[in-house]
Amino acid sequence: MKDVGDFGQPPLAAENRALVERRLKEVTAGTGLQETLTIEWRLKPHVVHVIDVPVDSLYYNPSTHRIRAQRSYDPKLDRRLDEDPWSEESQGYLDVLLKAEPSDPSKRDKDFDELKESLDGFKQNEPGLITPDGILVNGNTRAAALRELGVPHIRVGVLPDSYTWADINQVELSLQLRPDTRRPYSYINRLLTMDEQVEAGRPLKDVAREFRIRESTAEQDLWVLSCLRDLRDRSVAGEAQLRLLDFEDAQEKLREVHRAYSKVSKADLRKAELLKEYRLAAIVMDFSKTDVRLIEPEFGERYLDQRVPDDLKAVPATAPGRVIPGINRAVKAEAPQVAAARAFTDSVLRAKAVVRAGEKVLAEASQKAAEVFDLAHHAMEDALEPAGKDARVRKRKQAAPDRLYDACQDIEQCVTDMVLARGSRSLDEEALDEAVLKLKASLGKLARTAAQSIEVPGDGVAWLLDAVRQDNA
């Protein structure tokens, strides 16, 4: 029985296996210092020997999490990769994606060039990892860089003979998440990898621990991925469709959508859905994080609806309530306001998908989609202006953040004063120590008040709470 995602063996598996066995015998028979690599093998630490092998004899891993989202850049080559991952065409596609910018695979990644420069100047610091058949488990990007540099060999550890594709995926994940200088997964690939682990039956708390994040953050990330898949599915317009990688640069915006949605949904789910739809539409249209924050549940009714052209106001007939088969449980129909918000977002999604498709769609269709997208963008931009003015008025009534910003400026000035005092040896160290203790006490009060007042902490408040909690431990 094959593993899920089992790509079989590459054509030169027998030759690679013979070479690997020969090199391993040479290493174990030697009397010198032997290099090893410790991996997590079936939940236990396992030490493997490191050998040198020709880099051109190895195969890129078609299931690598590093470019999971980017594979959809070219649907035809993506399908070919599933059908024959070891062909020259498929391996060439993997080579291109490994060197490409995660958010736009048509561009070369600057991080890849930095890795290549590092390998050229300082050689290979960390060994990669392969299967006995020559499949790269870890070190795919390094192998691509070494090939460009013309370096003939790569240092790699070797998995045990009993490996499965499930082992390959798990070991790759554990190595990539080690806290070192290794290139991190892109945002979307992290989400897909976490989802894959949960779907495989691993408890969410274990997945979160492996990614070194809180369980609540993992829940947030999976919620975001669910939203992105929904947006992708709703963007279908003929042959055109958005891809998950199109949202690669929207990490912070999407996390803020989740925090706002979670807070509002506790009181009113309908308002939470309205907020989510309009914020996601703004993200699709590439508005800034500051602009997206201005969108509250009443944004459509107060600012946007009156500015949206009639052509974009077409709302599908309200669907009646339905009954879930098997349990005969009734589900309420979608509220008209939410249906209208979804219709607006759907128009934006389909228009952007067609525009992004470029030459894959007719010029007339692309032009019409561009017009729809521009109309929606102008309507959103016009609506955000009065929303911003009203937000600034409300902010005057909520001065706590402003006071913290003022305190930050005072601390920055304090740093400058300390540098000057050190130069003249006039720093009053005892007075400074007393002031720092006062700051510590004030931060403790701020943390306690924040814990009582904020239901869904953002990154800054979460850091403050953790810092105070660790200090009191």
Side-chain angles (χ1 to χ4, degrees), residues 259-295:
R259 286 196 289 269
Y261 180 89
S262 299
K263 183 177 181 179
V264 175
S265 64
K266 292 180 179 180
D268 192 323
L269 184 59
R270 182 188 64 82
K271 288 186 176 182
E273 287 294 326
L274 286 171
L275 177 143
K276 181 184 75 171
E277 285 297 325
Y278 286 126
R279 286 201 178 192
L280 290 176
I283 291 172
V284 172
M285 289 187 278
D286 296 321
F287 281 93
S288 69
K289 182 168 63 174
T290 304
D291 285 336
V292 175
R293 287 174 181 165
L294 298 174
I295 299 175

Side-chain angles (χ1 to χ4, degrees), residues 59-210:
Y59 292 88
Y60 294 128
N61 176 11
S63 71
T64 178
H65 300 92
R66 178 168 295 286
I67 53 173
R68 185 68 56 83
Q70 286 68 34
R71 281 183 47 172
S72 63
Y73 174 67
D74 189 320
K76 180 181 177 181
L77 290 176
D78 189 18
R79 289 192 297 271
R80 180 64 175 156
L81 194 53
D82 283 329
E83 295 166 358
D84 186 3
W86 313 117
S87 68
E88 184 175 346
E89 182 182 36
S90 294
Q91 288 288 303
Y93 184 46
L94 290 173
D95 185 75
V96 169
L97 295 180
L98 288 166
K99 302 171 185 176
E101 191 174 298
S103 60
D104 186 0
S106 66
K107 300 177 181 178
R108 188 174 171 95
D109 190 4
K110 294 180 180 178
D111 288 342
F112 176 81
D113 287 329
E114 290 179 3
L115 171 66
K116 180 181 172 184
E117 184 178 344
S118 175
L119 287 169
D120 188 31
F122 303 102
K123 310 307 177 186
Q124 184 186 354
N125 293 324
E126 295 288 335
L129 185 67
I130 63 172
T131 69
D133 303 317
I135 303 169
L136 283 155
V137 177
N138 188 50
N140 286 269
T141 313
R142 278 171 284 170
L146 290 172
R147 284 173 174 172
E148 274 203 0
L149 290 169
V151 176
H153 290 83
I154 182 173
R155 291 174 20 252
V156 290
V158 184
L159 284 185
D161 288 336
S162 62
Y163 81 89
T164 65
W165 277 93
D167 292 325
I168 290 177
N169 290 330
Q170 190 58 46
V171 171
E172 182 207 8
L173 176 61
S174 66
L175 287 173
Q176 286 296 330
L177 294 180
R178 285 182 178 176
D180 57 14
T181 57
R182 193 176 282 107
R183 290 177 70 209
Y185 287 150
S186 72
Y187 174 54
I188 301 298
N189 286 324
R190 282 179 64 88
L191 299 186
L192 290 172
T193 304
M194 290 173 58
D195 181 66
E196 177 188 281
Q197 295 292 305
V198 172
E199 288 297 314
R202 295 191 67 195
L204 184 60
K205 63 179 182 180
D206 292 346
V207 176
R209 183 167 57 250
E210 189 153 19

Side-chain angles (χ1 to χ4, degrees), residues 290-453:
T290 304
D291 285 336
V292 175
R293 287 174 181 165
L294 298 174
I295 299 175
E296 297 294 338
E298 299 80 13
F299 178 78
E301 182 180 358
R302 295 185 62 183
Y303 308 109
L304 183 63
D305 291 350
Q306 57 191 294
R307 293 173 172 83
V308 174
D310 292 338
D311 294 345
L312 295 180
K313 287 185 177 180
V315 181
T318 303
R322 61 188 179 87
V323 176
I324 301 176
I327 62 175
N328 294 323
R329 182 176 178 180
V331 179
K332 291 183 179 180
E334 194 173 59
Q337 300 95 325
V338 176
R342 284 181 63 87
F344 176 77
T345 305
D346 288 347
S347 298
V348 174
L349 287 166
R350 289 192 291 266
K352 186 166 185 175
V354 173
V355 172
R356 282 283 182 94
E359 298 179 355
K360 297 177 183 178
V361 298
L362 296 176
E364 183 180 354
S366 181
Q367 182 179 354
K368 184 177 180 180
E371 292 173 355
V372 171
F373 188 85
D374 287 343
L375 285 172
H377 193 280
H378 287 314
M380 180 69 74
E381 192 171 37
D382 290 344
L384 285 168
E385 184 176 351
K389 291 179 180 178
D390 289 350
R392 286 190 290 274
V393 171
R394 291 193 300 270
K395 192 172 182 179
R396 295 192 190 103
K397 301 176 182 179
Q398 300 170 351
D402 289 335
R403 294 189 183 279
L404 278 179
Y405 281 122
D406 291 341
C408 290
Q409 292 179 358
D410 288 340
I411 291 176
E412 291 292 337
Q413 184 61 48
C414 174
V415 173
T416 302
D417 293 342
M418 286 181 64
V419 172
L420 295 175
R422 182 179 61 193
S424 59
R425 296 183 178 180
S426 59
L427 178 64
D428 187 340
E429 296 182 1
E430 291 184 0
L432 177 66
D433 190 65
E434 290 179 5
V436 171
L437 290 175
K438 177 65 176 176
L439 173 62
K440 176 184 175 182
S442 298
L443 287 175
K445 292 179 181 178
L446 178 63
R448 288 191 293 272
T449 304
Q452 296 169 358
S453 306

